[in-house]
Amino acid sequence: MSARRTFVLVDGENIDATLGNSLLGRRPAPEERPRWERVTEFAERTWGQPVTGLFFLNASNGNLPSSFVQALLAMDYRPIPLAGGSDQKVVDVGIQRTLDALLTHDDADVLLASHDADFVEHLGALLGGGRKLGLIGLREFMSTQLTGLGVPLFDLEDDVNAFIQPLPRVRIIPLAEFDPERFLR
């Protein structure tokens, strides 16, 4: 029997677009983006098993962001640069195909870093059979269809601690979790 491992599938386009469009109102600066090594470290700590990080990139324009790819490789991610037509959501299709392929890997658990409802059917197909599944993202922007699957949701900022500075989020805070010091900085 193979040892279990966790696959972290990162929809970098979706995370970046959510930060930029929904939270910051502009393209995120490098220091405002997640520290991706913290995501795989969190996954390994949380589920106590080896992690393989797969980072999906849209390379349809023919350019490969070589410095970012080198950074991903240094963090032990496997960059997956995909190309297709302008009418194709290449990152989404790549992640969907990977989720489908994982159906035959009984020793694989999955953490999906995306807010996108396009993965509901494919992630849902992995439910059951003792496989651990989870979502990583910003709680208030997560698709209700994804959260409707009933899998754990790990907040990219609060649970994973993936950012080096606090995000300008406005969200409901349960009184038991309220820390006034966070607002006094």
Side-chain angles (χ1 to χ4, degrees):
M1 181 189 263
S2 303
R4 293 200 72 74
R5 69 178 161 152
T6 302
F7 285 91
V8 175
L9 284 73
V10 178
D11 181 353
E13 279 186 326
N14 177 268
I15 300 295
D16 215 47
T18 300
L19 284 170
N21 298 332
S22 301
L23 194 59
L24 301 171
R26 59 176 166 69
R27 185 180 173 96
E31 65 275 6
E32 295 171 317
R33 290 191 164 103
R35 305 291 79 150
W36 293 110
E37 72 278 7
R38 293 183 183 184
V39 174
T40 51
E41 291 164 1
F42 171 82
E44 190 168 347
R45 270 193 325 273
T46 300
W47 287 349
Q49 59 196 32
V51 173
T52 299
L54 304 177
F55 201 105
F56 295 80
L57 301 160
N58 187 340
S60 294
N61 62 7
N63 295 323
L64 194 60
S66 56
S67 59
F68 185 59
V69 167
Q70 289 303 313
L72 288 171
L73 290 168
M75 293 181 279
D76 290 325
Y77 274 87
R78 294 180 185 169
I80 304 174
L82 300 170
S86 60
D87 62 330
Q88 293 178 299
K89 296 168 80 175
V90 296
V91 168
D92 289 5
V93 172
I95 292 173
Q96 290 167 344
R97 288 183 184 174
T98 303
L99 290 168
D100 291 345
L102 285 166
L103 282 167
T104 63
H105 294 259
D106 295 334
D107 60 345
D109 298 319
V110 179
L111 282 169
L112 173 64
S114 181
H115 304 94
D116 196 338
D118 288 344
F119 305 118
V120 170
E121 178 184 331
H122 304 273
L123 190 63
L126 291 167
L127 288 168
R131 184 188 315 267
K132 289 184 245 171
L133 300 173
L135 299 167
I136 296 176
L138 300 173
R139 187 170 275 108
E140 66 271 29
F141 299 112
M142 188 63 65
S143 159
T144 56
Q145 292 172 302
L146 274 175
T147 58
L149 292 173
V151 301
L153 167 59
F154 302 102
D155 189 272
L156 200 50
E157 183 176 24
D158 296 337
D159 300 319
V160 180
N161 193 29
F163 297 93
I164 56 175
Q165 58 190 28
L167 294 175
R169 295 165 78 181
V170 177
R171 58 207 157 118
I172 298 169
I173 305 166
L175 188 56
E177 297 173 20
F178 175 63
D179 176 9
E181 287 299 326
R182 183 175 177 165
F183 296 91
L184 300 176
R185 294 180 195 139

